[in-house]
Amino acid sequence: MILNDVHTGIRKNKKRKRIGRGTGSGHGKTSGRGHKGFYSRSGSSRRTGFEGGQMPLFRRVAKRGFSNNAFAAEVAIVNVSQLETAFEAGTEVTPELLVSRGIVPSRFDELKVLGDGELTKSLKVHAHRFSSSAEQKIKAVGGSFNILTGAGVVAG
């Protein structure tokens, strides 16, 4: 092995294939699409999973069981450290307020507050779920938390 030659010929960033730039390029005229036919036309594309008429893999593999994931509640997560930076002391934090401030996504089924980070401000937090550490940190600074349910609010 010659140390000078170890990296010769190695390119970190391969140049893209420039098609349709004349016959001298090797990809001129039909630009790698061949002559006539569906795939030579613009707008042509194969369906995802298409295997040239062969039975596709997703139809060959046996399907067993049932997954409830499609019906699971989508839970948005917010940490107490995020509440610390986003709100002033005494603020009533609701899921709607968190969405309007862009802290959580606009679509979710339940909101869970986690205890990651520090909280120094007294806040009144409304959410569907709280971790035990989040509950302790909210109570420790004189704040309160309300657990939202389908029927109403359970105070904590």
Side-chain angles (χ1 to χ4, degrees):
M1 177 188 289
I2 302 169
L3 288 175
N4 297 354
D5 296 338
V6 171
H7 296 296
T8 55
I10 295 173
R11 292 179 138 168
K12 284 190 174 183
N13 301 314
K14 187 178 178 182
K15 290 184 79 171
R16 71 178 179 88
K17 184 196 293 185
R18 295 184 71 227
I19 59 172
R21 292 294 181 270
T23 52
S25 69
H27 300 288
K29 194 174 178 250
T30 54
S31 303
R33 289 171 172 257
H35 296 275
K36 299 184 183 176
F38 178 63
Y39 297 106
S40 70
R41 315 279 194 239
S42 67
S44 63
S45 62
R46 287 185 180 91
R47 180 180 74 245
T48 304
F50 183 70
E51 295 184 23
Q54 172 178 302
M55 186 61 68
L57 182 70
F58 72 92
R59 289 189 60 194
R60 292 196 305 265
V61 173
K63 281 119 188 114
R64 292 180 54 83
F66 175 77
S67 174
N68 228 351
N69 289 343
F71 308 103
E74 197 169 317
V75 181
I77 294 171
V78 65
N79 282 299
V80 291
S81 59
Q82 292 173 283
L83 300 178
E84 171 74 25
T85 56
F87 300 103
E88 296 76 38
T91 308
E92 193 163 330
V93 181
T94 62
E96 294 79 21
L97 186 60
L98 290 167
V99 169
S100 67
R101 297 263 180 109
I103 298 168
V104 293
S106 59
R107 293 191 59 179
F108 58 87
D109 298 316
E110 293 183 355
L111 174 68
K112 183 167 184 174
V113 180
L114 301 179
D116 186 37
E118 294 301 318
L119 186 65
T120 58
K121 300 171 184 171
S122 174
L123 300 171
K124 188 172 184 182
V125 186
H126 300 276
H128 300 92
R129 302 183 198 176
F130 291 86
S131 69
S132 58
S133 61
E135 288 179 6
Q136 290 168 0
K137 287 180 181 180
I138 292 168
K139 280 186 173 179
V141 293
S144 64
F145 63 91
N146 289 339
I147 299 170
L148 303 173
T149 61
V153 176
V154 178

